[in-house]
Coordinates of all heavy atoms in Angstrom, one line a residue:
R244 N 0.9 -1.2 0.0 CA 0.0 0.0 -0.1 C 0.9 1.2 0.0 O 2.1 1.1 0.4 CB -0.9 0.0 1.2 CG -1.8 -1.2 1.4 CD -2.7 -1.4 0.1 NE -3.5 -2.6 0.3 CZ -4.1 -3.2 -0.7 NH1 -4.2 -2.7 -2.0 NH2 -4.9 -4.3 -0.6
P245 N 0.4 2.4 -0.5 CA 1.2 3.5 -0.6 C 2.1 4.0 0.6 O 3.3 4.1 0.6 CB 0.3 4.7 -1.1 CG -0.8 3.9 -1.7 CD -1.0 2.6 -1.0
L246 N 1.4 4.1 1.8 CA 2.1 4.5 2.9 C 3.1 3.4 3.4 O 4.3 3.8 3.9 CB 1.2 5.0 4.0 CG 0.5 6.2 3.9 CD1 -0.5 6.5 5.0 CD2 1.6 7.4 3.8
E247 N 2.7 2.1 3.3 CA 3.7 1.1 3.6 C 4.9 1.2 2.8 O 6.0 1.0 3.2 CB 3.0 -0.3 3.4 CG 1.8 -0.6 4.3 CD 1.0 -1.9 4.0 OE1 1.4 -2.4 2.9 OE2 0.3 -2.3 4.7
F248 N 4.7 1.5 1.5 CA 5.8 1.7 0.5 C 6.7 2.8 0.9 O 8.0 2.6 1.0 CB 5.3 1.9 -0.8 CG 6.3 2.2 -2.0 CD1 6.9 1.1 -2.5 CD2 6.5 3.5 -2.4 CE1 7.9 1.3 -3.5 CE2 7.4 3.8 -3.4 CZ 8.1 2.6 -4.0
L249 N 6.1 4.0 1.2 CA 7.0 5.1 1.6 C 7.7 4.8 2.9 O 8.8 5.3 3.1 CB 6.0 6.3 1.7 CG 5.4 6.9 0.4 CD1 4.5 8.0 0.7 CD2 6.5 7.3 -0.6
N250 N 7.2 4.1 3.7 CA 7.9 4.0 5.1 C 9.1 3.2 5.0 O 9.8 3.2 5.9 CB 6.8 3.2 6.0 CG 5.8 4.0 6.7 OD1 6.0 5.2 6.8 ND2 4.7 3.5 7.1
Q251 N 9.3 2.6 3.9 CA 10.6 1.7 3.7 C 11.8 2.5 3.3 O 12.9 2.1 3.3 CB 10.4 0.7 2.6 CG 9.3 -0.4 3.0 CD 9.0 -1.4 1.9 OE1 9.8 -2.4 1.8 NE2 8.1 -1.2 1.1
F252 N 11.6 3.9 3.1 CA 12.7 4.8 2.5 C 13.3 5.6 3.6 O 14.0 6.6 3.4 CB 12.2 5.7 1.5 CG 11.8 4.9 0.2 CD1 10.6 4.3 0.0 CD2 12.7 4.8 -0.8 CE1 10.3 3.7 -1.0 CE2 12.3 4.2 -2.0 CZ 11.1 3.6 -2.1
K253 N 13.0 5.3 5.0 CA 13.3 6.3 6.1 C 14.8 6.6 6.2 O 15.2 7.6 6.8 CB 12.8 5.8 7.4 CG 11.2 5.9 7.5 CD 10.7 5.5 8.7 CE 9.1 5.7 8.8 NZ 8.5 5.1 10.1
H254 N 15.7 5.7 5.8 CA 17.1 5.9 6.1 C 17.9 6.2 4.8 O 19.0 6.0 4.7 CB 17.7 4.7 6.7 CG 17.0 4.3 8.0 ND1 17.0 5.1 9.1 CD2 16.2 3.2 8.4 CE1 16.3 4.5 10.1 NE2 15.9 3.5 9.6
I255 N 17.2 6.8 3.8 CA 17.8 7.3 2.6 C 18.1 8.8 2.6 O 17.1 9.6 2.8 CB 17.0 6.8 1.3 CG1 16.7 5.3 1.4 CG2 17.7 7.3 0.0 CD1 18.0 4.4 1.3
D256 N 19.2 9.3 2.3 CA 19.5 10.6 2.5 C 19.1 11.4 1.3 O 18.6 12.5 1.3 CB 21.1 10.9 2.8 CG 21.4 10.5 4.2 OD1 20.5 10.5 5.1 OD2 22.5 10.1 4.4
N257 N 19.4 10.9 0.0 CA 19.2 11.6 -1.2 C 18.1 10.8 -2.0 O 18.4 9.7 -2.6 CB 20.5 11.6 -2.1 CG 21.6 12.4 -1.2 OD1 21.5 13.4 -0.7 ND2 22.8 11.6 -1.2
L258 N 16.9 11.4 -1.9 CA 15.7 10.6 -2.2 C 14.7 11.5 -3.2 O 14.5 12.6 -2.8 CB 15.0 10.2 -1.0 CG 13.6 9.5 -1.2 CD1 13.8 8.1 -2.0 CD2 13.1 9.2 0.3
S259 N 14.3 10.8 -4.2 CA 13.3 11.5 -5.0 C 12.2 10.6 -5.4 O 12.5 9.4 -5.6 CB 13.9 12.1 -6.2 OG 14.5 11.2 -7.1
F260 N 11.0 11.2 -5.6 CA 9.9 10.4 -6.1 C 9.3 11.0 -7.4 O 9.2 12.3 -7.3 CB 8.7 10.2 -5.0 CG 9.1 9.5 -3.8 CD1 9.5 10.0 -2.7 CD2 9.1 8.0 -3.9 CE1 9.8 9.3 -1.5 CE2 9.5 7.4 -2.8 CZ 9.8 8.0 -1.7
T261 N 9.0 10.2 -8.4 CA 8.6 10.9 -9.7 C 7.2 10.8 -9.9 O 6.5 9.7 -9.6 CB 9.4 10.2 -10.8 OG1 10.8 10.2 -10.6 CG2 9.0 10.7 -12.2
H262 N 6.5 11.9 -10.4 CA 5.2 12.0 -10.7 C 4.3 12.4 -9.5 O 3.9 13.6 -9.3 CB 4.5 10.8 -11.5 CG 5.3 10.4 -12.7 ND1 5.6 11.2 -13.7 CD2 5.8 9.2 -12.9 CE1 6.2 10.5 -14.6 NE2 6.4 9.4 -14.2
C263 N 3.9 11.5 -8.7 CA 3.1 11.7 -7.4 C 1.9 12.6 -7.8 O 1.3 13.2 -6.8 CB 4.0 12.5 -6.4 SG 5.6 11.8 -6.0
V264 N 1.3 12.4 -8.9 CA 0.2 13.2 -9.3 C -1.1 12.7 -8.6 O -2.1 13.5 -8.4 CB -0.2 13.3 -10.8 CG1 1.0 13.9 -11.4 CG2 -0.3 11.9 -11.3
E265 N -1.2 11.5 -8.1 CA -2.2 11.0 -7.4 C -2.0 10.9 -5.8 O -2.7 10.2 -5.1 CB -2.7 9.5 -7.9 CG -3.1 9.6 -9.4 CD -4.5 10.2 -9.5 OE1 -5.3 10.3 -8.4 OE2 -4.9 10.6 -10.5
A266 N -0.9 11.4 -5.3 CA -0.5 11.3 -4.0 C -1.6 12.1 -3.1 O -1.9 13.1 -3.4 CB 0.9 11.8 -3.8
S267 N -1.9 11.4 -2.0 CA -2.9 12.0 -1.1 C -2.1 13.0 -0.1 O -0.9 13.1 -0.1 CB -3.5 11.0 -0.2 OG -2.5 10.2 0.6
E268 N -2.8 13.7 0.7 CA -2.2 14.6 1.7 C -1.3 13.8 2.7 O -0.1 14.3 3.0 CB -3.3 15.4 2.4 CG -2.7 16.3 3.4 CD -3.8 17.1 4.1 OE1 -5.0 17.2 3.7 OE2 -3.5 17.8 5.2
D269 N -1.8 12.6 3.1 CA -1.0 11.7 3.9 C 0.4 11.3 3.3 O 1.4 11.3 3.9 CB -1.7 10.5 4.4 CG -2.8 10.9 5.4 OD1 -2.8 12.0 6.0 OD2 -3.7 10.0 5.6
D270 N 0.2 10.9 2.0 CA 1.3 10.6 1.3 C 2.4 11.7 1.2 O 3.5 11.5 1.3 CB 1.0 10.2 -0.2 CG 0.1 9.0 -0.3 OD1 0.2 8.0 0.6 OD2 -0.7 8.9 -1.3
L271 N 1.8 12.9 0.9 CA 2.8 14.1 0.8 C 3.4 14.4 2.0 O 4.6 14.8 2.1 CB 2.0 15.3 0.2 CG 1.6 15.2 -1.3 CD1 0.8 16.4 -1.6 CD2 2.7 15.0 -2.2
E272 N 2.6 14.3 3.1 CA 3.2 14.5 4.5 C 4.4 13.6 4.8 O 5.4 13.8 5.3 CB 2.1 14.3 5.6 CG 1.1 15.5 5.6 CD 1.6 16.7 6.4 OE1 2.7 16.7 6.8 OE2 0.8 17.6 6.5
Q273 N 4.3 12.3 4.3 CA 5.2 11.3 4.5 C 6.5 11.6 3.6 O 7.6 11.5 4.1 CB 4.8 9.9 4.3 CG 5.8 8.8 4.5 CD 6.2 8.6 5.9 OE1 5.8 9.4 6.7 NE2 6.9 7.6 6.2
I274 N 6.2 12.1 2.4 CA 7.3 12.4 1.4 C 8.1 13.7 2.1 O 9.3 13.7 2.1 CB 6.8 12.8 0.1 CG1 6.3 11.6 -0.6 CG2 7.8 13.6 -0.8 CD1 5.5 11.6 -2.0
K275 N 7.3 14.5 2.7 CA 8.0 15.7 3.3 C 8.9 15.3 4.4 O 10.1 15.6 4.6 CB 6.9 16.6 3.8 CG 7.4 17.6 4.9 CD 8.4 18.7 4.3 CE 8.6 19.6 5.3 NZ 9.7 20.7 4.9
S276 N 8.4 14.3 5.2 CA 9.2 13.8 6.4 C 10.4 13.0 6.1 O 11.4 13.0 6.7 CB 8.2 12.8 7.3 OG 8.0 11.6 6.8
L277 N 10.3 12.5 4.8 CA 11.5 11.7 4.3 C 12.6 12.7 3.7 O 13.7 12.3 3.4 CB 11.1 10.8 3.1 CG 10.2 9.6 3.7 CD1 9.6 8.9 2.5 CD2 11.1 8.6 4.5
G278 N 12.2 14.0 3.6 CA 13.2 15.0 3.0 C 13.4 14.9 1.6 O 14.4 15.2 1.0
A279 N 12.3 14.3 0.8 CA 12.5 13.9 -0.5 C 12.0 15.1 -1.5 O 11.4 15.9 -1.1 CB 11.6 12.6 -0.9
T280 N 12.6 15.0 -2.7 CA 12.2 15.8 -3.8 C 11.2 15.1 -4.7 O 11.3 14.0 -4.8 CB 13.4 16.3 -4.5 OG1 14.2 17.1 -3.7 CG2 13.0 17.3 -5.6
I281 N 10.2 15.9 -5.3 CA 9.4 15.2 -6.4 C 9.9 15.6 -7.7 O 9.9 16.9 -8.0 CB 7.9 15.7 -6.1 CG1 7.4 15.0 -4.8 CG2 7.1 15.3 -7.2 CD1 6.0 15.4 -4.4
N282 N 10.1 14.7 -8.6 CA 10.5 15.0 -10.0 C 9.3 15.1 -10.8 O 8.3 14.3 -10.9 CB 11.2 13.8 -10.5 CG 12.5 13.5 -9.8 OD1 13.2 14.3 -9.5 ND2 12.7 12.1 -9.5
H283 N 9.1 16.4 -11.2 CA 7.8 16.8 -12.0 C 8.1 16.6 -13.5 O 9.0 17.1 -14.1 CB 7.5 18.2 -11.8 CG 6.3 18.7 -12.4 ND1 5.1 17.9 -12.7 CD2 5.8 20.0 -12.6 CE1 4.2 18.6 -13.1 NE2 4.6 19.9 -13.1
C284 N 7.3 15.6 -14.1 CA 7.5 15.3 -15.5 C 6.2 15.6 -16.2 O 5.4 14.6 -16.6 CB 7.8 13.8 -15.7 SG 9.4 13.3 -14.9

C-alpha cells in the first residue's frame, strides 16, 4: 500500500519520487518527512 511503501525509505539521504500526481495529503506529508524531492514530468 502507498504508505507502507513510503515507510521503507526512512534511512535514505538523497531521495526523489517521480510523478506523485495521485498522492494524497498523507502521502505528501510522508514524502515531506523523508526529506524527498518530487520529480515533475
Side-chain angles (χ1 to χ4, degrees):
R244 303 301 178 195
L246 284 175
E247 292 173 350
F248 177 77
L249 292 174
N250 282 334
Q251 297 179 83
F252 293 81
K253 286 183 177 178
H254 302 294
I255 303 299
D256 291 332
N257 302 307
L258 177 62
S259 63
F260 293 101
T261 302
H262 303 307
C263 302
V264 296
E265 295 289 339
S267 67
E268 185 175 343
D269 287 343
D270 297 331
L271 292 177
E272 289 277 6
Q273 182 67 350
I274 289 171
K275 164 68 176 176
S276 74
L277 293 169
T280 301
I281 292 178
N282 301 315
H283 187 19
C284 302

